[in-house]
Amino acid sequence: MQHELPEEKENRTTTPQWILWVGATFCCMLWGLAPALIKVGYAQMGIETTGQIVVFAGTRFFLSGLLVLAYYRLSSHQKIRIRKSEIRPILLLALFQTFGQYFFFYMGAANASGIMTSIFTATNAMFALLISACLFHLEKLTLLKVAGCVIGFLGVVLMNFSPTGMTFSLQGEGMLLCSSICSACSAVLIKVFSKDSSPVLLSGAQFTIGGLALILFGFCLPDHTVAWNGGGMLVLLMLSLISAGAYTIWGILLSKFPVSSVSVFSCTNGIFGILFSAMILGESLTIKVFYAAILTSLGVLMINAAKPEGKKHRKQKAVNG
């Protein structure tokens, strides 16, 4: 799944644009691959019960957290130290970003197609905008952004529409919807908390704690034993690397380029997810799926569209260029 990092300061560099295109596209491909891999992992290890699903999810993010913390230790050349003031932010992020988001996401993915799961992940950006603007007042709702939300949600409605009416399952789409809301809350929280702390440290710590909490919660549920095997472990490792690797690369890009230039690439997440679900899981690419993908991707694109540059900035940019 995608985790936004805030831009700590305006940092326009001479870094070539192709690095942005390659890096951001690679991250979105990885995030798009995750829903299909999750379902492959379920099949490899015969995961069916709630306890097995929660333990599988928790193990993935516990490993991801350790990888992110290792990257923080190597890149910052500092020991991993959690200040007292950072404990509350880490616990809140662990609750929303890992425990809440991925409990609902993994449960929903078990009861929905890979394509449906990919379409629903596009609503993360829409809920994040609405929560950020309406509850925290961190952003302004422009006409373009509101239109983007409406168009994006229309794509989700289209995916759930059938000749007999709306098809909506609480165990599938309902869980995915709850996951999107938790993801949106965590995206806003990390913007707030990272003003005083490293977003990489916060994310690594909350991944680890949230993953461990999922594992312990899974152990409390009946039929939680996972039949680990070579194929399943390989999928688990790939999913852990996706979370840690894509997050790290995305963070580096945000330190080199403006936030709007990076986040606009997230409109391709759903498209990659649909393509991987079709290629790996053999799911059908119908006309309805095509239009739903276009609508949700267009909605995310409109929400993340960069504001036009003013004349003064364009002039300065021309002088520097």
Side-chain angles (χ1 to χ4, degrees):
M1 296 280 112
Q2 178 179 353
H3 307 290
E4 291 288 346
L5 282 174
E7 184 181 34
E8 296 179 355
K9 61 182 179 179
E10 188 72 13
N11 187 22
R12 287 185 171 84
T13 70
T14 56
T15 306
Q17 284 292 314
W18 69 265
I19 292 180
L20 169 63
W21 282 81
V22 173
T25 302
F26 180 65
C27 287
C28 293
M29 287 180 63
L30 291 179
W31 282 316
L33 178 61
L37 282 182
I38 289 171
K39 297 186 80 68
V40 171
Y42 289 164
Q44 285 282 338
M45 295 179 286
I47 293 176
E48 296 179 350
T49 68
T50 300
Q52 291 173 326
I53 292 171
V54 174
V55 170
F56 181 57
T59 305
R60 171 195 175 183
F61 290 103
F62 180 74
L63 293 177
S64 297
L66 295 181
L67 291 172
V68 173
L69 290 175
Y71 167 77
Y72 173 80
R73 174 71 176 85
L74 294 174
S75 62
S76 65
H77 304 291
Q78 299 177 3
K79 292 183 178 180
I80 299 173
R81 294 176 179 174
I82 306 296
R83 301 194 304 267
K84 186 176 180 180
S85 61
E86 293 173 327
I87 295 177
R88 180 173 173 270
I90 288 172
L91 291 178
L92 281 173
L93 287 171
L95 175 62
F96 284 98
Q97 187 170 342
T98 298
F99 190 92
Q101 178 184 354
Y102 289 107
F103 170 78
F104 291 121
F105 184 82
Y106 270 67
M107 292 301 296
N111 296 284
S113 68
I115 287 178
M116 182 67 77
T117 303
S118 300
I119 291 291
F120 260 86
T121 56
T123 63
N124 293 1
M126 300 158 205
F127 281 119
L129 170 64
L130 294 175
I131 292 174
S132 178
C134 299
L135 298 182
F136 290 85
H137 307 292
L138 297 176
E139 295 187 49
K140 291 183 178 180
L141 283 176
T142 64
L143 182 60
L144 181 63
K145 290 180 178 181
V146 171
C149 286
V150 172
I151 290 174
F153 283 124
L154 282 176
V156 175
V157 171
L158 177 60
M159 273 300 295
N160 286 275
F161 184 79
S162 69
T164 58
M166 292 293 292
T167 57
F168 187 89
S169 166
L170 290 177
Q171 293 81 10
E173 291 82 2
M175 290 290 182
L176 294 175
L177 189 63
C178 291
S179 172
S180 293
I181 294 174
C182 286
S183 173
C185 291
S186 68
V188 176
L189 288 174
I190 200 168
K191 286 181 180 180
V192 175
F193 295 146
S194 61
K195 293 178 181 178
D196 302 314
S197 304
S198 165
V200 178
L201 177 61
L202 288 178
S203 187
Q206 69 84 18
F207 269 152
T208 305
I209 294 174
L212 182 59
L214 282 170
I215 294 173
L216 294 176
F217 177 60
F219 284 161
C220 295
L221 299 174
D223 299 322
H224 61 262
T225 303
V226 177
W228 299 104
N229 54 46
M233 292 292 290
L234 179 60
V235 171
L236 176 67
L237 179 59
M238 292 174 65
L239 286 168
S240 300
L241 290 172
I242 284 174
S243 295
Y247 174 87
T248 301
I249 295 172
W250 198 260
I252 293 172
L253 293 175
L254 284 172
S255 71
K256 301 291 184 182
F257 300 94
V259 170
S260 59
S261 298
V262 181
S263 60
V264 72
F265 283 86
S266 62
C267 70
T268 63
N269 286 357
I271 295 175
F272 282 123
I274 290 170
L275 292 176
F276 282 125
S277 293
M279 289 187 295
I280 297 174
L281 304 176
E283 296 181 0
S284 300
L285 292 176
T286 63
I287 294 296
K288 184 175 73 171
V289 169
F290 174 78
Y291 284 124
I294 292 298
L295 287 173
T296 53
S297 297
L298 179 60
V300 175
L301 180 63
M302 294 170 68
I303 289 171
N304 290 295
K307 295 181 179 179
E309 295 178 332
K311 293 182 179 179
K312 181 178 179 180
H313 179 72
R314 286 198 301 267
K315 182 178 179 181
Q316 183 66 38
K317 189 174 181 180
V319 171
N320 293 340

